[in-house]
């Protein structure tokens, strides 16, 4: 390429020289200088062309290498594709065999399903016919039932009217009864208040009640003398006028009074002998039923055992007991209280 370019330049110079020769006489110095410049220009362009040729050669080598790499990749891809195709074909063949078997099973199953569906359709038709027959029978029975219900409702309506009429009559009677009950209740409350007022009087409730004693002393000293209301005569030399009770010295001797009902006890008073032997009563216990009310701790003429309102006592029996080996003798056993009460009717 450089040689061609050099020839073209020289050819131009030759033409220029010919023109000069034909014209004015040439200047040899200028011509040389021009040729020198042209040669330098040609040399530079030659070097440039050589560089471009080297670059093109390198690009060609690089493209060649890339082409080889592409060819190798293509060969590898072709080989892999061939392998894949072979495996795919084998897989497709095996799957086709399985698919054919599966299709045959599906056909067989579908045939069985079809047969079952046909049987079910026949059964459904039979069931529909039976259902229609049953529905017809049920409709008839429903009509009969509706008629019976209408008759029953009519009877119930008549009965309801009768009941309403009776209820109205009973309501009037109930109103009258309620009025009588209210009046009776008011009278009962009045009686209760009067009874409460009467029973609230604290009085002697032991006088002339039934009295008993254990281990009585021989003679006329009976337990009844403890409730005769007499506290005056106790002289032993007036035997026919002695009014005190007496037991032997047996330990545990006791005297008790039966009140005849349930009473609230407010006070118990024991009258001891006055002429002698008051110390014999020391140690005696006084009970209201099973509750201990008090104990004699010294010798004296009388003993008062009071019971406070903060802890009321209700009893049917009062007992005086001497646990020691001493005589139990008293003039009188007086009990103050209110009552009698029922078990569930206590006015505290």
């Amino acid at each position: 390429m450089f040689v061609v370019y050099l020839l073209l330049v020289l050819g131009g110079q030759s033409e220029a020289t010919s023109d000069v020769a034909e014209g004015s006489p040439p200047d040899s110095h200028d011509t040389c200088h021009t040729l020198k410049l042209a040669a330098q220009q040609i040399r530079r362009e030659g070097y440039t062309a050589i560089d471009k040729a080297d670059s093109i050669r390198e690009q060609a080598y690089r493209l060649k290498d890339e082409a080889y790499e592409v060819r190798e990749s293509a060969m590898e891809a072709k080989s892999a594709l061939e392998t894949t195709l072979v495996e795919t074909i084998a897989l497709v063949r095996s799957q086709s065999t399985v698919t054919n078997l599966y299709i045959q099973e599906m056909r067989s199953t579908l045939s069985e399903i079809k047969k079952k569906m046909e049987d079910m359709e026949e059964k459904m038709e039979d069931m529909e016919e039976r259902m229609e027959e049953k529905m017809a029978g049920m409709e008839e029975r429903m009509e009969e039932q509706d008629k019976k219900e209408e008759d029953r409702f009519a009877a119930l309506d008549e009965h309801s009217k009768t009941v309403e009429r009776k209820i109205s009559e009973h309501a009037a009677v109930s109103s009258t009864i309620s009025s009588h009950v209210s009046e009776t209740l008011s009278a009962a409350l009045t009686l209760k208040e009067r009874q409460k007022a009467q029973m609230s009087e604290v009085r002697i409730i032991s006088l002339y009640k039934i009295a008993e004693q254990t281990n009585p002393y021989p003679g006329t000293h009976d337990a009844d003398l403890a409730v005769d209301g007499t506290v005056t005569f106790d002289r032993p030399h007036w035997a026919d006028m002695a009014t005190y009770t007496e037991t032997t010295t047996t330990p545990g001797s006791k005297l008790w009074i039966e009140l005849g009902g349930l009473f609230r006890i407010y006070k118990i008073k024991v009258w001891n002998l006055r002429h002698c032997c008051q110390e014999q009563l020391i140690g005696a216990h006084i009970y209201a039923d099973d509750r201990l009310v008090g104990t004699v701790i010294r010798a004296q003429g009388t003993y008062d055992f009071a019971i406070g309102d903060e802890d009321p006592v209700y009893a049917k029996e009062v007992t005086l007991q001497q646990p020691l080996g001493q005589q139990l003798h008293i003039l009188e056993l007086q009990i103050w209280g209110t009552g009698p009460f029922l078990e569930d009717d206590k006015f505290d």
Side-chain angles (χ1 to χ4, degrees), residues 27-39:
D27 189 351
S28 58
H29 182 72
D30 292 337
T31 300
C32 290
H33 181 69
T34 301
L35 290 175
K36 185 177 179 180
L37 293 174

Side-chain angles (χ1 to χ4, degrees), residues 148-162:
K148 291 180 181 179
E149 290 295 331
E150 289 177 359
D151 296 338
R152 186 180 300 172
F153 285 144
L156 286 174
D157 185 52
E158 184 65 26
H159 182 66
S160 177
K161 292 179 180 178
T162 303

Side-chain angles (χ1 to χ4, degrees), residues 99-220:
T99 303
N100 290 331
L101 294 175
Y102 181 71
I103 290 172
Q104 291 178 1
E105 292 179 358
M106 287 287 290
R107 288 176 179 174
S108 177
T109 304
L110 289 173
S111 298
E112 293 177 358
I113 293 173
K114 182 179 180 181
K115 184 177 179 181
K116 291 181 179 179
M117 289 295 292
E118 292 175 352
D119 295 338
M120 288 181 66
E121 288 177 356
E122 293 178 358
K123 292 180 180 179
M124 288 294 291
E125 291 176 356
D126 294 338
M127 289 179 66
E128 288 177 356
E129 293 177 357
R130 294 177 183 176
M131 287 295 293
E132 290 177 357
E133 294 176 356
K134 290 182 179 180
M135 288 297 293
M138 288 179 66
E139 289 177 355
E140 294 177 357
R141 288 194 292 272
M142 286 294 291
E143 291 177 356
E144 295 176 357
Q145 187 68 23
D146 290 341
K147 185 177 180 181
K148 291 180 181 179
E149 290 295 331
E150 289 177 359
D151 296 338
R152 186 180 300 172
F153 285 144
L156 286 174
D157 185 52
E158 184 65 26
H159 182 66
S160 177
K161 292 179 180 178
T162 303
V163 171
E164 288 177 358
R165 185 171 60 256
K166 290 183 178 180
I167 288 174
S168 299
E169 296 173 356
H170 283 87
V173 174
S174 297
S175 177
T176 303
I177 293 173
S178 178
S179 177
H180 290 321
V181 169
S182 298
E183 294 175 359
T184 303
L185 180 60
S186 177
L189 291 174
T190 302
L191 289 174
K192 183 176 181 180
E193 290 298 323
R194 290 177 181 175
Q195 181 188 16
K196 183 177 179 181
Q198 292 174 357
M199 295 175 64
S200 63
E201 178 190 5
V202 179
R203 64 193 187 279
I204 292 179
I205 58 176
S206 58
L207 189 62
Y208 306 128
K209 295 295 179 70
I210 297 175
E212 300 287 346
Q213 66 181 355
T214 61
N215 308 314
Y217 189 84
T220 59

